[in-house]
Amino acid sequence: MDPPSFDPNILPARKQKGRGAISNSDGRYEKFSHQAYDDGWISGLMEDADTPRTKTTLGIDGARSVITRNQSPDVPFDRSINPYRGCEHGCIYCFARPTHAWLGLSPGLDFETKLFWKPDAQELLRKQLAGRSYQPAPIVIGTNTDPYQPVDRDKQLTRSLIKVLSDCQHPFSIITKSALVTRDIDLIAPMALKNRASVAVSVTSLDHRLSNLLEPRASAPHRRLDAIRKLSDAGIAVTALCAPIIPGLNDMEIENLVAAVHDAGATSVSHIVLRLPLEIADLFEEWLETNYPDRKAKVISLIKQMRGGAIYQSEFGTRMRGTGPIADLIARRFDAARKKHGMTGRSLNLDSSGFIRPNANGQMQLL
């Protein structure tokens, strides 16, 4: 069967200011795919017209629990909380994008514009912690989507969850690339002083232009460094996550990244190489073609060299680190930079011994 011929009437996707994804292709579970088609009415207007901006909407997530379990050997925890589905930060590389297909939505623009939250999340969390069979262990907040994305300024859902965990003296760690985390230092710091809380701040690049293109609504690099400084000054252990490392785009910054987060007060640093599962591969290539067309071929080639010739490897043990000489060199450079500044790798050794189980009446009882 011959491949379909190019149709000049199919309208190309157009970049929107403040958004990461260029297109909004249908999810992989949908029966039909949709494309914008020029029927003649808008011919000649495309070049002059401003691209209409897609507004963020916030729907209700009807799930009856907030704690998600995992058995991955790649991470040092077995449970997590993601206050929001979808993420307004719009990071083009976000490995959570494909999960929006489960909702019948696109991992593209839908992921960063059609968000969902649980208004009763704190009650659901308290109920799960009150279960007689529940055994405490560190909960990581923000493993898929950022708990401090812009909508949390108003909803403060993340703060309400931290308040429940603090009331129960339940250990937790937070992952974010937003300076908004400093808003909750008053709750995090007392737990951190008991070794029951920590924070990981993601710093992808010190280059403001690259950061803005990769993560359009996340905090600027200097604001993330300032957040690390404020958290550290409050006695909170901070890990810097240099993730993702993208060969040909930000790998030349490794030594400067480690030095910058160390100077800001981070005591440990870790890295992850770019992951491109499912729809993310096409979204990322489209992003490269739009923003760095001159580097696209080189970047994709380097990524494949870290993945055994494929665009992605999903196996435990290699999916976050890659394989081959390029991945090995990246790891060695991080090890050397970490050693130079006396920093450690990421750990999650938090104290669970003080857990106070809530009961049905909202009171607390010792475990």
Side-chain angles (χ1 to χ4, degrees):
M1 181 177 179
D2 294 331
S5 59
F6 171 71
D7 187 341
N9 292 316
I10 298 296
L11 298 177
R14 304 179 69 196
K15 180 177 175 60
Q16 295 188 33
K17 184 177 180 180
R19 299 297 183 185
I22 310 301
S23 61
N24 204 39
S25 300
D26 297 275
R28 60 191 179 280
Y29 300 120
E30 302 310 295
K31 184 179 297 186
F32 302 105
S33 62
H34 300 80
Q35 293 179 305
Y37 189 85
D38 182 2
D39 60 3
W41 285 94
I42 59 174
S43 296
L45 300 179
M46 288 290 291
E47 294 298 324
D48 299 325
D50 291 333
T51 303
R53 297 190 184 183
T54 305
K55 294 183 178 180
T56 301
T57 62
L58 191 59
I60 302 298
D61 181 351
R64 297 184 178 182
S65 64
V66 293
I67 300 176
T68 301
R69 300 276 184 159
N70 80 83
Q71 296 179 332
S72 170
D74 289 334
V75 294
F77 56 88
D78 68 354
R79 65 201 70 183
S80 60
I81 296 175
N82 291 287
Y84 302 95
R85 288 180 184 246
C87 187
E88 200 173 6
H89 281 162
C91 305
I92 190 59
Y93 55 76
C94 182
F95 66 86
R97 281 184 178 273
T99 62
H100 243 46
W102 300 343
L103 306 175
L105 298 172
S106 172
L109 285 170
D110 281 350
F111 176 78
E112 50 195 281
T113 60
K114 295 183 179 179
L115 314 181
F116 299 85
W117 74 308
K118 300 183 182 73
D120 56 347
Q122 57 268 45
E123 288 78 16
L124 292 172
L125 175 58
R126 191 175 290 110
K127 181 179 179 180
Q128 284 187 269
L129 298 180
R132 290 187 176 277
S133 63
Y134 181 81
Q135 296 298 316
I139 289 177
V140 179
I141 305 174
T143 53
N144 277 354
T145 58
D146 203 302
Y148 287 105
Q149 56 183 290
V151 293
D152 199 63
R153 291 192 186 97
D154 173 49
K155 297 304 180 184
Q156 298 198 27
L157 180 58
T158 300
R159 183 176 177 85
S160 71
L161 294 169
I162 292 174
K163 181 66 167 59
V164 172
L165 294 170
S166 298
D167 288 346
C168 297
Q169 291 298 297
H170 192 295
F172 64 88
S173 187
I174 298 166
I175 300 176
T176 184
K177 51 174 62 74
S178 172
L180 184 59
V181 64
T182 59
R183 177 197 66 192
D184 296 335
I185 284 178
D186 61 315
L187 293 178
I188 303 169
M191 289 288 284
L193 293 176
K194 301 174 186 177
N195 190 32
R196 292 173 185 162
S198 63
V199 176
V201 177
S202 174
V203 186
T204 312
S205 173
L206 301 176
D207 182 332
H208 281 236
R209 179 178 184 274
L210 176 59
S211 178
N212 181 254
L213 292 172
L214 277 173
E215 311 152 334
R217 297 200 178 193
S219 295
H222 71 279
R223 295 199 62 214
R224 298 186 215 183
L225 294 175
D226 185 58
I228 292 174
R229 189 171 294 108
K230 290 177 179 177
L231 292 164
S232 180
D233 289 346
I236 300 168
V238 182
T239 293
L241 297 180
C242 298
I245 295 300
I246 308 171
L249 275 186
N250 69 342
D251 59 322
M252 64 289 295
E253 297 187 63
I254 289 174
E255 289 76 15
N256 290 337
L257 277 171
V258 175
V261 298
H262 170 263
D263 291 345
T267 56
S268 60
V269 62
S270 182
H271 82 282
I272 299 173
V273 299
L274 180 67
R275 300 166 55 187
L276 295 175
L278 302 170
E279 292 94 342
I280 307 176
D282 289 340
L283 290 168
F284 184 72
E285 289 196 40
E286 185 178 54
W287 178 90
L288 278 174
E289 181 64 37
T290 301
N291 295 291
Y292 293 96
D294 56 327
R295 298 196 207 179
K296 179 182 176 181
K298 178 182 178 181
V299 171
I300 295 300
S301 174
L302 292 171
I303 290 171
K304 289 183 177 180
Q305 290 178 54
M306 293 195 302
R307 301 293 184 185
I311 198 69
Y312 179 58
Q313 293 170 310
S314 61
E315 295 82 10
F316 290 135
T318 60
R319 58 181 184 154
M320 293 186 178
R321 288 292 182 266
T323 59
I326 293 175
D328 291 344
L329 178 59
I330 289 172
R332 287 199 300 270
R333 289 173 62 192
F334 265 103
D335 287 342
R338 189 184 297 116
K339 182 178 180 180
K340 175 181 178 180
H341 296 285
M343 303 177 77
T344 65
R346 183 187 178 196
S347 66
L348 202 64
N349 186 24
L350 299 175
D351 179 21
S352 301
S353 65
F355 177 58
I356 305 173
R357 191 186 308 277
N359 62 28
N361 298 320
Q363 302 297 316
M364 300 291 176
Q365 57 187 20
L366 289 175
L367 175 65

